Structures are given as C-alpha cells and as structure tokens.
Amino acid sequence: MKENEASLDVIRIIHQLASNPEKVKTTQSSLYDLMGSGLTKSDICDAICDWIDEAKRVQVIVTKYADGHIGEPAYVVKPDLLGVGFYIKVAIQKSNAGNENLLIISAHKHH
C-alpha cells in the first residue's frame, strides 16, 4: 500500500456501501454539486464502484472543509463522468447503533 492510499479493508467497505445507495448520504454542498452537474446519488455510487472495480487508487486524506466533518479521514476518487473528470470525496460514518453509512462530501468537476 502506498502512502496516502486507503487500505483494502476500507476500500471494500466503501464499495459495499456505495453498492447500496440507501446506505449513502450527501452533505448539502455535495447535493448542490450533483444538481449543478445533472447527476444523482446513484450516478456517484456507480462511479465509485466502477473506480474500485478497475483497481484504481483510492486516496485517503484528512478533511479540512466538510460541513462539520473537519479533521476526519475521507477518501477520494477521480472518475470520468459525462466525459469530464470528477473529484469525489466520501467518508465512512458509524451511527450510535453501529451501522455504517457512506457520506458523499463533494462530487464536483475536477479542475
């Protein structure tokens, strides 16, 4: 595993959650990202799963600006959607009941 690369266990969890859009939530800013690009949460989930299925790098970062999720680990993929490169940042959240959700923090065109 390279530096700043998510572990295989984390990648497996991200894929598992993204495969079930009912377990995926969005921040307000990512919802605006989606609306502005004409994409849906399911489109982003499919892109995440495809990225992982293609064994492309999932980068781990620490959030700086994330709707109240500052200082937490987040994971970045950069797939092409609609013929354009996108920057998708997600986090794994655990509820008090022990359930996991995937939070889409951002999903915007990559500059």
Side-chain angles (χ1 to χ4, degrees):
M1 183 170 68
K2 296 178 185 174
E3 185 178 346
N4 297 330
E5 190 169 306
S7 72
L8 293 176
D9 286 339
V10 166
I11 293 169
R12 181 186 51 77
I13 292 167
I14 291 169
H15 191 285
Q16 192 173 53
L17 293 171
S19 296
N20 186 357
E22 294 80 36
K23 293 190 174 213
V24 179
K25 302 196 180 306
T26 58
T27 62
Q28 192 66 40
S29 68
S30 71
L31 190 57
Y32 292 138
D33 290 342
L34 296 176
M35 292 182 341
S37 299
L39 296 169
T40 66
K41 179 173 69 170
S42 291
D43 294 330
I44 297 303
C45 290
D46 290 345
I48 291 169
C49 289
D50 290 347
W51 182 268
I52 291 171
D53 290 342
E54 294 169 11
K56 294 186 178 176
R57 183 172 185 252
V58 177
Q59 180 183 7
V60 62
I61 63 168
V62 176
T63 58
K64 294 180 182 174
Y65 312 101
D67 292 351
H69 303 280
I70 297 169
E72 297 177 12
Y75 307 93
V76 175
V77 298
K78 298 176 183 176
D80 285 337
L81 292 164
L82 309 171
V84 177
F86 269 74
Y87 180 94
I88 300 171
K89 183 179 359 175
V90 299
I92 299 169
Q93 294 185 307
K94 292 187 182 185
S95 71
N96 292 338
N99 300 323
E100 291 178 321
N101 289 304
L102 189 66
L103 177 68
I104 300 172
I105 297 170
S106 62
H108 55 79
K109 292 177 183 174
H110 186 53
H111 307 288

